[in-house]
Amino acid sequence: MRVAAGVYRQYWRINILTTLEYRENFLMWFAFTIVYHGAAIAALWIVLERFPSLNGWNFRDMAFLYGLWMLAHALHNTLFSAVGDVPEHVREGEFDRILVRPLDSLFQIIATPGQVFPDELMLALAYFGVATWYSGVHIDAMFVIFVPLIVFGGALIELGIGLIVSTLSFWFVRVDALIWIVVQLEQEFTRYPLGIYSRGVRLLLTFVCPFAFMNYFPASYFLHKPDNALGFPPIAGLLTPVIGCAFVILAYVFWRFGLNRYQGVGH
Amino acid sequence: MAIIETVELRKVFRSIVRSPGIAGAVRALFSREYEEKVAVDSVTMTLAEGELVGYLGPNGAGKSTTIKMLTGILVPTSGAIKVAGVVPHRNRQANAANIGVVFGQRSQLYWDLPLRESFELLRSIYDVPRDRYRQNMAHFSEILGLDEFMGTPVRQLSLGERMRGDFAAALLHDPKIVYLDEPTIGLDVEAKEAIREFVGRINRERGTTVILTTHDLADVERLSKRIILIDEGTVIYDGTLARLRTEYGTHRTLVVTLAETYEEFAVEGGEIESREGNIVKLRFNQRRLSAETMIRRLLDRYSVSDIAIIEPEIESIVRRIYREGYNESAVGSPS
């Protein structure tokens, strides 16, 4: 643990140094992040202009729904985005390196220095503050205790999915199509309340890729909306941390299994 | 004491059969036929602590696959391995602490960072104590001349500089065993020499066990007494370089500088390889004739100002073994 903490500290030091070295690139990414989230929120606004309420949710509710997802997603991108690079490391043969170092392989992946900076997280925090105020969610003790846990749980759900997809690259080497599908699934289907989708999609987003726990169920709890998608009780919205942990453990077991099947590329 | 031990180590890769062309690729989408490729068939070897062994074989012989099993990257299909008391693929982290690896074609340094930062990060990963780190860095810098480019981002280093950095990185944590996979590939003469010097010193001074795979047999001649040859996934020779040379290198060459100019030149039992002016290269079978006999015959007839003996080149011996197979019975017969 002491060793891992030391490595992790160094990892952040290097990230910040690298970010400063490539300042222009960083600024362009930051501009892109603002445009990306801005466009998503604008799209919600346009839809809700035409249909003032979707499944009982108005624009103010959806602004909060988006804020909760954005925060969890930004936390994931800040802490765990390197997991998405595993297929590339496998394809280029760089992954071997991870297996000959005396630290847990997943930890090493997460702590691979790159150009990570908590800019998206800061943006998400600011947006979430505004969205909470705008949606009129009552800030009480439950909110203060559970929102951080739910956000972390949501980031773990995203990590779990990413880890499973990355593990598949041990067998298939290229998994771009699958990555694309999962990214679309997460980004498109977390923007609206679950009740607007068909039953298959609802089940998929709850039990297979549990993205609905990143924002839909917790937002329903805080906004006092009944769940008309699967008829879950409101308390389901507080399960996100548990689901996130369980999902990551499952994904990690699969990862360890995959490591023993890893064949490398070009023997 | 054995530090590395493998018994009938075997690795079979399974891959999808693809027929050539687009039609074949489309067919492969629907019908999955698997093809098994035996990369390592049966490798049994024992290395004592402190040995420096050259592990040689043609492309595709299974060298890299063996190294990947020894380092714990790949799980063997069957057979047993023990490295410093640990089964590498079952206990990767414990094994990793004992070993250092240099893959000549891949770097473990961080591309965007100054060399110094890579070392700092590796120090944390391997939990090297500060004093030990300082001592090692001072020692490595002295042999490899790292000081000149410690502050340069790795992407700006020449291949030779980068390789020197990689060697220091692999040895920073005082590993008991070092695996070097094609460490001098693509380097110029000077950088090769620096690397060989470094490997030799680490092995002698620290007693580090070294396994070296290479295409450049000069690496092996310079560094190792023992070599293991593999072909098609099996060990075909395991022994000293000297034994291989005397048993398999049937011919030696005398380089003779004649004191006078002779129209005719011939020595019984000798074959003229080349003749340029007064310098003649004379090849003879060392199983039939001793060097002494050859030299005596030569001096009986000609006046000579200088003689040198060239040992059979290990490279040509090894090439011949791959072509004809290693065969104990073939050793005695003249070729």
Side-chain angles (χ1 to χ4, degrees):
Chain A
M1 271 323 257
R2 180 185 58 79
V3 175
V7 172
Y8 201 65
R9 218 177 17 248
Q10 287 244 39
Y11 154 73
W12 272 107
R13 202 177 79 84
I14 291 171
N15 279 337
I16 288 163
L17 283 177
T18 314
T19 305
L20 294 177
E21 192 172 338
Y22 295 101
R23 204 178 48 211
E24 292 74 17
N25 187 47
F26 164 71
L27 291 173
M28 279 187 274
W29 267 114
F30 188 54
F32 170 77
T33 309
I34 293 173
V35 170
Y36 174 84
H37 289 291
I41 295 157
L44 284 177
W45 185 75
I46 290 166
V47 171
L48 272 293
E49 266 294 89
R50 302 197 58 172
F51 311 95
S53 158
L54 264 182
N55 222 305
W57 293 55
N58 61 26
F59 179 64
R60 287 166 186 256
D61 301 329
M62 307 260 268
F64 181 73
L65 183 73
Y66 190 82
L68 208 48
W69 173 77
M70 183 178 170
L71 203 49
H73 179 67
L75 185 65
H76 166 272
N77 285 356
T78 308
L79 297 180
F80 310 128
S81 64
V83 171
D85 299 335
V86 168
E88 197 187 321
H89 293 318
V90 168
R91 196 165 62 238
E92 287 173 4
E94 298 295 333
F95 189 75
D96 291 1
R97 179 64 57 199
I98 299 285
L99 297 173
V100 294
R101 286 188 179 155
L103 287 173
D104 177 74
S105 49
L106 179 59
F107 172 77
Q108 285 189 69
I109 291 289
I110 289 172
T112 303
Q115 195 188 336
V116 188
F117 203 75
D119 55 318
E120 193 181 12
L121 189 61
M122 291 190 261
L123 192 69
L125 273 170
Y127 172 78
F128 184 72
V130 173
T132 305
W133 163 79
Y134 181 62
S135 63
V137 167
H138 183 56
I139 299 176
D140 54 9
M142 285 300 274
F143 184 91
V144 173
I145 294 167
F146 270 93
V147 164
L149 292 174
I150 286 165
V151 167
F152 192 67
L156 289 182
I157 289 172
E158 211 178 318
L159 168 65
I161 296 278
L163 195 53
I164 290 169
V165 173
S166 288
T167 304
L168 290 172
S169 70
F170 296 153
W171 284 274
F172 307 126
V173 184
R174 287 202 95 118
V175 289
D176 321 9
L178 194 58
I179 291 173
W180 190 81
I181 291 168
V182 170
V183 166
Q184 289 300 312
L185 202 63
E186 181 194 336
Q187 299 192 343
E188 299 303 324
F189 288 82
T190 49
R191 292 187 184 170
Y192 301 99
L194 196 61
I196 70 162
Y197 302 114
S198 67
R199 189 160 175 80
V201 175
R202 294 178 198 175
L203 293 174
L204 179 72
L205 293 174
T206 307
F207 296 106
V208 183
C209 304
F211 293 135
F213 284 96
M214 281 179 86
N215 64 344
Y216 170 70
F217 290 114
S220 300
Y221 174 85
F222 290 117
L223 293 164
H224 305 291
K225 302 269 180 204
D227 169 32
N228 55 13
L230 295 165
F232 282 1
I235 199 85
L238 302 181
L239 286 179
T240 304
V242 179
I243 294 193
C245 289
F247 198 62
V248 160
I249 290 169
L250 204 76
Y252 182 73
V253 169
F254 182 55
W255 165 263
R256 295 296 300 241
F257 172 78
L259 282 181
N260 287 331
R261 300 288 178 290
Y262 173 65
Q263 290 206 342
V265 281
H267 341 299
Chain B
M1 205 193 84
I3 192 160
I4 296 179
E5 213 170 352
T6 77
V7 181
E8 290 174 14
L9 198 59
R10 183 177 167 84
K11 180 70 187 177
V12 180
F13 288 111
R14 202 162 163 246
S15 58
I16 299 163
V17 182
R18 285 193 177 85
S19 323
I22 291 175
V26 172
R27 244 198 324 278
L29 275 178
F30 298 104
S31 81
R32 295 240 134 160
E33 267 179 67
Y34 289 92
E35 167 185 56
E36 299 211 319
K37 186 174 162 271
V38 181
V40 171
D41 192 14
S42 175
V43 168
T44 300
M45 60 168 145
T46 307
L47 262 72
E49 210 166 340
E51 268 195 281
L52 196 164
V53 175
Y55 191 56
L56 310 176
N59 283 331
K63 293 184 308 261
S64 288
T65 305
T66 312
I67 299 290
K68 284 182 183 177
M69 288 192 281
L70 290 170
T71 49
I73 294 169
L74 295 177
V75 179
T77 308
S78 65
I81 323 182
K82 217 155 210 196
V83 175
V86 176
V87 179
H89 55 276
R90 293 235 180 85
N91 205 339
R92 287 190 169 114
Q93 290 184 44
N95 182 59
N98 292 330
I99 66 168
V101 189
V102 176
F103 293 118
Q105 321 230 41
R106 303 220 161 90
S107 180
Q108 65 165 320
L109 306 168
Y110 296 90
W111 209 238
D112 286 326
L113 303 175
L115 193 56
R116 191 181 296 111
E117 294 287 339
S118 286
F119 291 140
E120 277 288 334
L121 192 62
L122 290 168
R123 191 198 70 76
S124 307
I125 290 175
Y126 286 98
D127 195 23
V128 182
R130 289 251 174 224
D131 316 356
R132 191 68 201 138
Y133 174 73
R134 261 193 297 274
Q135 279 170 24
N136 276 349
M137 282 320 297
H139 188 203
F140 298 162
S141 298
E142 180 211 318
I143 313 177
L144 294 168
L146 301 175
D147 285 333
E148 299 159 41
F149 47 87
M150 276 296 257
T152 313
V154 173
R155 61 169 190 275
Q156 290 172 12
L157 297 180
S158 72
L159 181 63
E161 290 168 339
R162 206 211 74 202
M163 265 332 279
R164 282 185 257 177
D166 258 305
F167 266 84
L171 285 152
L172 210 55
H173 57 289
D174 296 313
K176 289 183 197 146
I177 303 149
V178 186
Y179 301 99
L180 307 175
D181 196 2
E182 303 281 354
T184 55
I185 200 159
L187 297 182
D188 61 34
V189 180
E190 196 192 338
K192 271 185 184 173
E193 208 34 53
I195 297 275
R196 284 173 193 150
E197 163 81 15
F198 183 63
V199 173
R201 278 183 71 173
I202 292 294
N203 173 251
R204 276 195 313 274
E205 292 169 12
R206 306 190 173 204
T208 308
T209 309
V210 180
I211 294 194
L212 169 73
T213 80
T214 181
H215 271 107
D216 189 342
L217 285 155
D219 290 344
V220 172
E221 287 203 87
R222 169 74 201 280
L223 287 169
S224 56
K225 290 192 188 73
R226 177 180 168 194
I227 59 169
I228 298 175
L229 287 181
I230 64 162
D231 196 18
E232 292 174 6
T234 343
V235 175
I236 56 172
Y237 176 83
D238 180 352
T240 61
L241 205 53
R243 196 184 105 207
L244 191 72
R245 187 176 273 146
T246 50
E247 285 184 354
Y248 227 81
T250 50
H251 289 76
R252 294 165 109 181
T253 303
L254 285 184
V255 182
V256 182
T257 310
L258 298 167
E260 296 163 33
T261 309
Y262 298 94
E263 291 274 307
E264 298 275 314
F265 182 86
V267 178
E268 193 197 336
E271 180 194 328
I272 296 169
E273 238 179 57
S274 68
R275 185 173 175 181
E276 281 170 45
N278 282 348
I279 300 173
V280 186
K281 284 192 179 167
L282 199 60
R283 194 166 169 268
F284 67 98
N285 187 326
Q286 60 170 351
R287 289 187 202 298
R288 294 201 190 145
L289 293 167
S290 68
E292 194 203 339
T293 317
M294 270 311 281
I295 292 169
R296 205 167 342 99
R297 284 180 187 172
L298 176 75
L299 294 178
D300 279 350
R301 298 179 58 178
Y302 304 102
S303 152
V304 168
S305 60
D306 188 37
I307 300 179
I309 301 179
I310 301 179
E311 293 294 333
E313 275 216 19
I314 194 71
E315 187 152 355
S316 63
I317 295 173
V318 168
R319 212 182 300 122
R320 213 181 108 212
I321 292 176
Y322 291 144
R323 207 169 49 230
E324 298 165 15
Y326 183 77
N327 185 344
E328 296 282 345
S329 66
V331 164
S333 67
S335 70

